[in-house]
Amino acid sequence: MFSRWNWVACGFYLMLNICSPDASGGLVQSCGHIIPESPVLPLGSNFTALCILNESCLDFGNIYANQIIWKVKNRVVPKEQYREINRTVSSVTFNDTSSLATPLTCNILADGQIEQNIYGITVTVGLAPEKPKNLSCIVHQMSKSTYHMTCTWDPGRHTFLDTKFRLRYSWPEDIFPDCIPKGVNNSCTFHDVHFFVNTEIWVEAANALGKAESDPLILDPVDIVKPLSPQNISVIPEVLPTALKLSWENLISHSVIRLKFNIRYKILGDTNWMEIPAEDTASHRTSFSVQGLRPYTEYVFSIRCMKEDGVGYWSDWSEEKTGITTEEKPSKGPPIWRIIDASHSPASWTVHLLWKALRPFEANGVILQYEVTVRDKSSLSGPLKKYNVTSTNHTLQLPNGTYEVTVIARNSAGASPPSVLLIPANNSKGPVTNLRTLPKHDKLWVGWTAPNSYVLKYVIEWCLVSSSSDCIIEWQIAPGNVQGIDLKGIKPFKCYLITVYPLYADGQGSGQSVKAYLKQDRPSKGPIVQTKKVGKAEAVLTWNHLTVDEQNGFIRNYTIVYKTIDGNETVVTVDPSKTEYTLSSLTSDTLYTVRMMASTDNGSRSGPDFTFTTQKFGKGEIEAIVVPVCLAFLLIVLLGVLFCFNKRDLIKKHIWPIVPDPSKSNIAQWSPQVPAKHNFNSKDQMYPEGSFTDVSVVEIEADDKKSFSEQDLKPFDLLKKEKSTSEGHSSGIGGSSCMSSPRQSVSDSDEGETTQNTSSTVQYSTVVLNGYRDQTPVQVFSRSESTQPLLDSEERSEDHAGGADSTAQRQQYFRQHGAQDETNTDRPCFERPKQITHADEGDLVGFVQLQFSGQSSQPLGLGMEKNIQEAALSNVFQTSTEGQTLRPETVEENPLSVDEMPKSYLPQTVRQGGYMPQ
Amino acid sequence: MAAADSPSTALRRRDLCSRGIRLAGKMRADVVDLLDAYVERQGLDASASVAAVEGVPLAAVERWDEQTGTQRLLENLAAYRAFRALLAQMLEEQREQLGEADAGLGRALAAVLLQVSAFTYHLEELLRLESRGIPGEEEDGPPPPPRLSIFEQKLRGLGVLRELAQWAVRSARDLRQLAKPSPATGAAPGLPESP
């Protein structure tokens, strides 16, 4: 119990001692302290600290040195580094201060467990300053009487401590205020500098660990001066046109420092400076006359200075100042050339004299005018013509001849030497040979081989060849002893035409020309190709040459690339002079894609793709097929016609068998039924109007129907209907044609077809008589030997016999083939439609009867027949509908045959095939 | 002057003379500039006549060309020691009168004072080379100046500067004379002729 209270009292006392103000007036009365107090230690050295406990704490707190724990920044220092000196003092030793950190604290374990801090110190570790090295100074002239001396040095290694540097400056008997660097540790500037006294300058560096001084620098500050550059420079022209006088102001008194100078100059616009020899300006001065300059040239000058003895520093170059030398007469005459235009008149020339403006160093001033003199050399008494020109060209109208032209340039200082050009009557002298060009960077070198004769000089003409502008001639004169010249201002990718003329003492040679490029490029566009002609296996391609502006170089060749959609490319190279090329061995009826490329030395450019399709047939192939086929067809038709013509009797026999005329039959002769009362002479009496029905002769075969399909007949449906209606009031025709067919007559009515199907090949003939004038008609039957099928109209008339209207309207005729045969034998079949008749315009309605022969013996001509029939039908139909009536020649004859007919016939039985033609 | 100079002594004398001449030239230029500023700042008339300043030896002297080198050096040393004291007094009076209001004039005065001090050092070094003892400053120094009014101080300052300008010219000539090669020491390179 006592022990517990004792420890509590001890802890309370310890806290009280630490936290309460001490007797000496401090805030804290510590139970101990550390020696040394906040030391600054050299980096890498060893260090020992002592913690000394107060005696008072020993008595009340039972605290002893063996309870001390050392800590470096909350890290316990190993016990091995501790040493208990006595019961109140403990030490700790560090062999290397680099392992130290702040703070270093002395702590104690109260009551064996509670750690209490007794004291702490701050440890600073660093390095002593090194000796500053490389001290150097320079004196800058700031104004006319103000100089600043700036010294720099190497401060040495980093010390990790606050190190002060001071630049010191002293005379033998005076020490000036130190210069303290601000913000830096390696330079400082004195603002009060005095010359002509040896001055000692040194640097001191000091920190908590030591102090170091640099080696002293003993110098007279005047020897390290960098003066200000000369000011207020003026450039004044001298009397000589090749000299300029420079004047300036020195900002440093010659009584203080004598100076020497450097003068540099250049032509305005040049980049390279020239310098006056240093020995010419090695003494103090305020002016200098620069000689050896070009007349009338603007120069730029700049000056710098330094101490005359060369000790110190050069000033900066002064600001640049310009000046112009005075004029001098031109040093040479202007280069002259001419362009002769003889197109206007054969007897005179238009001479364009051209000369070049002198270059500045040749003109030596402003050229005021040119004096042109023209002398006719062909006549000694010819007047001397003078012209004063301000431009660089002059045009003269001169008769053909030889002239000497002189040009003089004049400025304010005088005239140039004359330039002479001889204009001969003709250029018959020898030309240069082997004219060639070679690009050299941005220049085009033109070379030639000189003629054998002595050449005074050469004139090189060149112009830019362009399709958009004229060739503007530029020219240049080269001395006679050269065989090549560089042309400047040549643009790349442009074509130039270069001509070289040799000038002799007594005339000039003819010009030699060459085209050249300074630099070539690929063409700016490709040729546009198109086809001129396309065949089955070949195509002729054509294109236009690229313009010279588009070429960008010499076109070396054209390349044609063509291919089918899925085929391989074929490449053809074409000579650049060509504008047409024929592609051969192409596949017929195939789409080809063609692309054309123009190539220069530096590349190629393709034009747009072009496509074409070869033809399916070659030239004449169609004709070779069509013509023989047509000829064969015509031949067959012709043979057919001939055959028909030769066998016409046989054909007629099969197609148009002769129908016996019942009126001429034998039975008519012997019939007892023919009374006298019926022997009328008058036609009207025998056959009153409307007393006869039509008689149609139809031959039907069962196979016929199959020969014509429904479709074949369809075009006639309309016609059939028309006929069907017309048959209601008209029936049959007496005649027939080779175009007509009995079957058609039958097919006019479905009923007829039915009948036909059943009646088949029954041969019969029926004569129907109406009663005369309301009298009961006498049915007279006359057997016919005809094998014609029963007429539809006949059946229909029977069917409608009771109909009064139909009976009344029906116009009945009897017509025999036999009569027609006689009249139509020699007529062509195509004329048959003319046989369509109207007996009476007032009573009869026109009709058409078509007879198609299903047994055509001319199959080849069927189509044509059909067509012709259709055409005929169309014509007839139109004619009919328009109400026009065709009156065939046979119309007059039919009634006659009717007149001859007996009124009645007796039926006659005839065996099939027993018919005997009459 | 010593009868025989070693080469190093001759070089040293030549160097001292050379720099002394240029220092005298610069000092004269600075004093002339300072005179203009001083007259303007002190409100004086540049053409004002000033009596001879007490304690300042006159630069003008009869039979100048008959003086020996040592005599020249001693006269110069006495004069510049006097100028150094007078200029220091002027600088003090100027600070009292104008304070920091005219720091430029004070800096110019201080600069001239430093040049006078430096020239004095040159003279002392030359005298050492002559193997002559340097007279003590106290015995050759000017007597303490009497208490003057401000205007009198200004006029005296003007007189000091004018006389200093004169002495600068004379000192340059004296040093040039000293730098001339003596028959005993042999030929020495010529020195700048100006000022």
Side-chain angles (χ1 to χ4, degrees), chain A residues 171-174 176 194-198 220 255-256 258, chain B residues 19 22-23 25-26 29 111 114 117-118 121-122 124 194:
Chain A
W171 281 354
E173 296 179 342
D174 296 285
F176 297 93
H194 299 281
F195 295 148
F196 311 120
V197 182
N198 280 337
D220 185 344
S255 62
V256 179
R258 291 181 60 82
Chain B
R19 284 194 280 136
R22 287 189 283 169
L23 179 57
K26 184 174 189 308
L114 276 175
S117 177
Y121 167 74
H122 274 283
E124 291 170 352
S194 62

Side-chain angles (χ1 to χ4, degrees), chain A residues 145 147 171-174 176 192-199 219-220 222-223 253-258 307-309, chain B residues 12 15 19-23 25-26 29-30 33 84 110-112 114-115 117-119 121-122 124 128 192 194-195:
Chain A
S145 58
Y147 300 87
W171 281 354
E173 296 179 342
D174 296 285
F176 297 93
D192 191 14
V193 181
H194 299 281
F195 295 148
F196 311 120
V197 182
N198 280 337
T199 306
L219 49 81
D220 185 344
V222 80
D223 291 336
S253 170
H254 70 283
S255 62
V256 179
I257 299 175
R258 291 181 60 82
K307 206 148 75 72
E308 189 179 40
D309 57 6
Chain B
R12 174 70 175 153
D15 177 59
R19 284 194 280 136
I21 291 166
R22 287 189 283 169
L23 179 57
K26 184 174 189 308
D30 290 347
D33 291 342
R84 187 167 60 186
V112 171
L114 276 175
Q115 289 175 46
S117 177
F119 196 77
Y121 167 74
H122 274 283
E124 291 170 352
R128 285 193 192 93
S194 62

